[in-house]
Amino acid sequence: MEYIESISGAEEIGITLVRAPEEGIAAALIGIGRPGLRVEAVFAMTVSAEAARISVVEGKRARRVTASEPLLALVRESRARSARSVAGPWWRMSMRIDEFALVETEYDYGEEPFPGDQLFRPEAYRDDIAAYPRPRLPVWLAAYIGHADRQSRGRRSAALAARADRLHGVRQRLLGEGFPELPRLWARWAALAAAHVAVGSEDGPRIVPDTGWYEAARNASSGSSLYVLPGGRAVLSGGVWNAPPLNAAYNGGIELPNLYAGAPDWVTNAALNPRAAVGLLSFCYWWDGERWYRGESPSVRQCGAALPPIWSAGSVLETIVRLLSAQPSLAQRAGVARLMSAVERGAVGAASLVAAFGSDADIDGAYRQFASAGLVPAEVAGSAEVPVDGNGSRRNGPLG
């Protein structure tokens, strides 16, 4: 039996593990399958909770298998022995066995969020940390067990906070830094969303009526949202997964920055990125109809990992051109430039989409992104399937 062992999140810590339990686990998993089949197993464990997912794979078909008590006892022993290592006990262990009985084992120390079916209640991790103290936790896990709704901002709490800020002279600060005003920001977000849809990319930003979403492809733990509110207002918020202030707060005991310092009472949970609900919001900006403001959020440049490349029309154009081709032609570049001009005028038509993306692209999908953003002229939108709100009225977006 040959082993290939890798450590997730602890490659450079110098971990030494005793092999005996792992050999027994591998032997048990090989016995579950039969020669020529693959077995994939993932075990999640704390001192008070555990979960196992075992699949026997044959071709494209997978069969789930229940973990036996003797097998789980071996997994517990493996974790207990790993607690003697510098990194402490692992949170998840994966073991894959190929058709030739080659075993690959990986230990997960939580550098990335656990999948939902292997994420326990916060108390399970608190129990484990009490049994096995650790000098530092991954930021997401530290927030998960200790955020205590500190970033939540309901309607009542927002009104009280705004009143208290006025009373104590706490003022919002101009964002500055040449950040695009809302109409341009919204148009660029929509253009990037349409381009990703046009080429069939699952990554990149997206637009639904009144809302822009973005999850960074390279790190799914960073992302942002742009909510457009009545009266030409908007809230742009999100989180960078490894933001220093979050680490300082959850691992160093320092107060979280007041992202809502001086914020108006309409900056509430309804307009905030869902990361606020789990304590992982690292920035919040708001547009009052004329300017962008912030509280104690960092500069926009420090939040770039969580935002699509909307800094300038040139950055959007280059991103779209690279999506279309590794070696774009002059005609492609010109087509995208003309589309960007139409986008910023709020006058996107089907012909400009074909000229920019090509006739083989998903033109209908790209069109729907622009229609959702309110960037299709009314006379064109009238003959197309444009999203409507609950009252049957067309959504026009911040451009009109």
Side-chain angles (χ1 to χ4, degrees):
M1 188 184 303
E2 185 178 352
Y3 284 85
I4 299 176
E5 188 171 287
S6 63
I7 308 296
S8 174
E11 292 86 347
E12 300 176 0
I13 302 180
I15 296 174
T16 301
L17 295 175
V18 178
R19 288 297 187 90
E22 287 75 18
E23 292 178 355
I25 295 166
L29 292 176
I30 290 173
I32 288 175
R34 65 173 188 268
L37 299 185
R38 291 179 289 125
V39 181
E40 299 175 355
V42 184
F43 304 96
M45 194 164 286
T46 70
V47 294
S48 59
E50 57 189 36
R53 185 177 68 233
I54 304 173
S55 299
V56 178
V57 183
E58 183 174 10
K60 295 183 178 180
R61 300 177 61 185
R63 171 172 55 91
R64 292 290 291 271
V65 178
T66 302
S68 66
E69 179 55 35
L71 174 56
L72 290 175
L74 285 171
V75 176
R76 295 186 200 108
E77 182 183 353
S78 169
R79 188 171 193 268
R81 293 195 182 199
S82 75
R84 304 170 191 171
S85 70
V86 175
W90 43 260
W91 300 109
R92 297 169 70 239
M93 178 178 71
S94 303
M95 189 170 285
R96 291 175 289 276
I97 301 170
D98 71 6
E99 298 88 340
F100 308 101
L102 178 67
V103 181
E104 181 179 357
T105 305
E106 181 177 351
Y107 303 97
D108 185 352
Y109 284 79
E111 290 307 304
E112 295 184 4
F114 304 142
D117 64 339
Q118 296 197 324
L119 178 66
F120 305 124
R121 294 177 63 85
E123 305 86 73
Y125 299 105
R126 295 193 194 106
D127 293 343
D128 204 74
I129 294 163
Y132 300 113
R134 301 170 188 249
R136 178 191 174 277
L137 290 174
V139 172
W140 75 266
L141 183 55
Y144 177 68
I145 66 176
H147 68 83
D149 287 330
R150 281 179 282 174
Q151 292 187 331
S152 179
R153 190 172 163 92
R155 288 186 179 181
R156 179 170 174 75
S157 62
L160 292 173
R163 191 176 305 135
D165 283 349
R166 289 193 298 270
L167 181 64
H168 295 95
V170 177
R171 298 182 180 279
Q172 59 189 2
R173 294 184 293 166
L174 278 171
L175 182 57
E177 303 180 22
F179 197 59
E181 59 189 28
L182 177 61
R184 284 194 173 89
L185 177 63
W186 181 255
R188 292 169 187 173
W189 198 299
L192 288 167
H196 279 83
V197 170
V199 300
S201 171
E202 296 183 0
D203 300 325
R206 292 295 189 271
I207 288 276
V208 296
D210 301 335
T211 306
W213 291 94
Y214 177 69
E215 293 296 321
R218 293 184 180 179
N219 193 308
S221 297
S222 296
S224 57
S225 56
L226 174 61
Y227 285 87
V228 177
L229 303 172
R233 301 165 298 167
V235 178
L236 173 62
S237 63
V240 177
W241 74 277
N242 59 349
L246 294 178
N247 183 50
Y250 293 120
N251 281 308
I254 298 173
E255 284 293 322
L256 279 167
N258 183 1
L259 304 182
Y260 315 128
D265 59 10
W266 45 266
V267 177
T268 67
N269 290 337
L272 291 172
N273 186 270
R275 286 170 173 80
V278 293
L280 288 175
L281 205 69
S282 64
F283 63 92
C284 178
Y285 312 124
W286 50 92
W287 173 265
D288 69 350
E290 295 182 359
R291 295 179 179 86
W292 285 106
Y293 292 93
R294 60 172 168 160
E296 295 179 3
S297 293
S299 69
V300 174
R301 292 294 179 182
Q302 291 175 277
C303 305
L307 294 167
I310 35 72
W311 317 110
S312 67
S315 64
V316 175
L317 187 147
E318 289 302 321
T319 300
I320 293 175
V321 166
R322 288 196 302 270
L323 270 175
L324 296 174
S325 173
Q327 295 181 321
S329 65
L330 290 176
Q332 282 179 311
R333 189 176 292 274
V336 173
R338 286 193 295 271
L339 174 62
M340 288 303 303
S341 177
V343 169
E344 297 212 355
R345 296 195 313 272
V348 178
S352 59
L353 294 180
V354 174
F357 302 142
S359 57
D360 293 333
D362 183 0
I363 300 300
D364 289 337
Y367 181 90
R368 283 192 292 271
Q369 289 292 288
F370 284 121
S372 294
L375 297 173
V376 176
E379 63 272 14
V380 178
S383 61
E385 294 184 4
V386 180
V388 296
D389 63 21
N391 298 318
S393 301
R394 295 196 181 282
R395 303 211 183 224
N396 293 319
L399 288 183

